[in-house]
Amino acid sequence: MSSTLNHAQLIANSQSNNESSLTQVVINTRPVERAAALTDHLQAAGLTVVEIPMLTLQSRPTTEQDMTLMRQWLAGHYKALVIVSPTAAASGLAMWQALEDERQAQNHDDDDDNNNERKDIAINALQAPSYLIAVGEATASVLNNAKIEASNYQVLQPHIANNEGMLAMPEIERLQAGDKLLVWRGLGGRRLLVDTLLARGVHIDSIAWYERIMPVDAMAQYEQWLKEFLTDNLTHNMMQDASAVQQPKPIVVVSSGTAFEHWESIVRAVAEKVLEQETARETPAILPYKLSDFSYVVLGERLANMVAEQQLSYWRVEDLAPETILASIHAKAC
């Protein structure tokens, strides 16, 4: 079962929704660095939120190729620069600043008395040689806070903060065969933007400043939560009669295909482990939880298709604003 809701519909539904007699459990799988705002917002609305990150961000060493691409961008070889995340923005800005310091050092005497003054000036001297396109408000904030020279350039954002929204931007739509685009990103991730532009003949280079890996304690966190959840659920059921409202399915918030793949592997591995343990009992104490024992809030078309292929219950959102996700959760109960 699936549902796609726009922001206005989600807000309207959430305002008219009556709370369930049982608290809805929401599993926030976002990286630790990006989970707090959503968790706080959902908890303030009375939901039970469990943080089980499916991704952690790990910096990658900067290569000579990365440096070459940065220098080519600064030399004006690209029509636009697309920055896909706050982490990519921060990493790219640090390298941009380092190259600007290097350029200034070549134009000044290496006098120690002038070094501090040059560093103070440098951040204000950054001038973007192309359009800067940020995917999302948080990414744009990192760039805007850097005090980039805005006399000729500004940080642009798509109306919808995903690859589909990027493709609808005039600055992206008018790219033609032979034009060059640079992307600051993490290793992997969604490729709709890249694949679409490559098919159009646009040349795309990218710098992967970090990679997204599964946290080492992700499975242990999931196992601990599942044990507590099933115990609480069993206690609740024993105290209620047959007509009582049952615990609603936990809702899992997933923002990327990689995160879903990690979630899928953990759920399946723990289910197999539980099944092996329970097979030895004459009367199984618990049944293994499957992917279908959860509902999902997912970002964008590609991730929705991944979940739909497994015939899972999901609600698709077009941005990761905490208000949008809360509204989609409330809409589920309507």
Side-chain angles (χ1 to χ4, degrees):
M1 180 183 70
S2 67
S3 176
T4 302
L5 303 165
N6 62 38
H7 186 78
Q9 290 171 325
L10 293 171
I11 294 298
N13 287 341
S14 77
Q15 290 173 340
S16 63
N17 180 65
N18 293 322
E19 292 188 357
S20 169
S21 60
L22 288 174
T23 303
Q24 175 69 64
V25 174
V26 180
I27 298 175
N28 184 357
T29 68
R30 302 219 68 202
V32 171
E33 301 88 344
R34 302 176 188 172
L38 176 59
T39 293
D40 292 346
H41 191 76
L42 298 183
Q43 288 178 337
L47 302 178
T48 297
V49 183
V50 182
E51 291 187 358
I52 309 179
M54 288 293 112
L55 297 174
T56 189
L57 308 182
Q58 179 173 290
S59 297
R60 303 180 72 242
T62 302
T63 67
E64 285 298 322
Q65 176 66 14
D66 296 335
M67 297 290 286
T68 298
L69 293 177
M70 284 293 294
R71 290 191 172 97
Q72 289 176 350
W73 173 65
L74 290 170
H77 292 189
Y78 295 89
K79 293 287 186 179
L81 168 65
V82 171
I83 307 102
V84 304
S85 72
T87 304
S91 299
L93 279 170
M95 181 54 63
W96 183 0
Q97 181 65 71
L99 290 174
E100 176 61 23
D101 290 345
E102 179 184 278
R103 185 190 68 81
Q104 289 193 24
Q106 292 173 352
N107 296 329
H108 293 79
D109 293 332
D110 291 332
D111 188 330
D112 290 341
D113 293 336
N114 293 331
N115 283 344
N116 291 335
E117 180 182 356
R118 287 205 302 274
K119 283 187 175 294
D120 291 339
I121 294 172
I123 192 67
N124 293 315
L126 294 180
Q127 295 188 17
S130 71
Y131 290 117
L132 300 178
I133 301 176
V135 184
E137 187 62 39
T139 302
S141 295
V142 173
L143 296 165
N144 287 325
N145 291 340
K147 301 179 182 178
I148 297 169
E149 177 62 49
S151 58
N152 296 315
Y153 303 96
Q154 60 181 327
V155 179
L156 306 174
Q157 295 177 247
H159 179 66
I160 301 175
N162 57 22
N163 280 332
E164 293 86 349
M166 300 274 294
L167 288 169
M169 296 181 69
E171 295 78 12
I172 297 296
E173 276 192 320
R174 61 172 168 254
L175 291 176
Q176 303 175 6
D179 287 340
K180 297 180 68 175
L181 176 75
L182 181 63
V183 181
W184 289 354
R185 63 182 179 88
L187 193 64
R190 292 167 290 170
R191 290 190 54 86
L192 174 63
L193 175 68
V194 171
D195 291 344
T196 302
L197 293 180
L198 286 175
R200 198 189 300 173
V202 176
H203 179 89
I204 298 178
D205 289 315
S206 65
I207 302 176
W209 299 106
Y210 61 93
E211 59 184 322
R212 301 172 298 169
I213 62 176
M214 184 188 295
V216 294
D217 58 348
M219 182 175 291
Q221 285 187 320
Y222 173 75
E223 284 188 286
Q224 180 62 33
W225 166 79
L226 183 61
K227 179 180 178 181
E228 294 173 358
F229 176 77
L230 292 176
T231 299
D232 291 344
N233 207 14
L234 179 62
T235 301
H236 171 80
N237 290 339
M238 291 175 62
M239 296 175 63
Q240 303 296 324
D241 59 39
S243 63
V245 176
Q246 296 300 304
Q247 174 74 44
K249 282 185 178 182
I251 294 175
V252 185
V253 178
V254 191
S255 59
S256 75
T258 303
F260 180 72
E261 289 169 356
H262 292 171
W263 169 262
E264 179 182 7
S265 67
I266 285 176
V267 171
R268 292 188 188 281
V270 172
E272 291 175 3
K273 181 178 177 180
V274 170
L275 190 58
E276 290 174 359
Q277 293 172 342
E278 296 304 318
T279 299
R281 302 174 188 262
E282 292 185 4
T283 304
I286 58 174
L287 294 176
Y289 247 53
K290 306 180 295 296
L291 289 172
S292 57
D293 290 317
F294 301 89
S295 296
Y296 299 85
V297 173
V298 301
L299 174 68
E301 180 179 2
R302 176 176 177 269
L303 184 50
N305 289 340
M306 290 178 64
V307 175
E309 286 176 0
Q310 304 207 38
Q311 299 182 327
L312 303 174
S313 175
Y314 72 92
W315 291 263
R316 171 181 162 185
V317 294
E318 301 305 329
D319 64 74
L320 292 172
E323 297 82 4
T324 302
I325 293 174
L326 175 62
S328 71
I329 291 170
H330 283 327
K332 160 190 172 293
C334 296

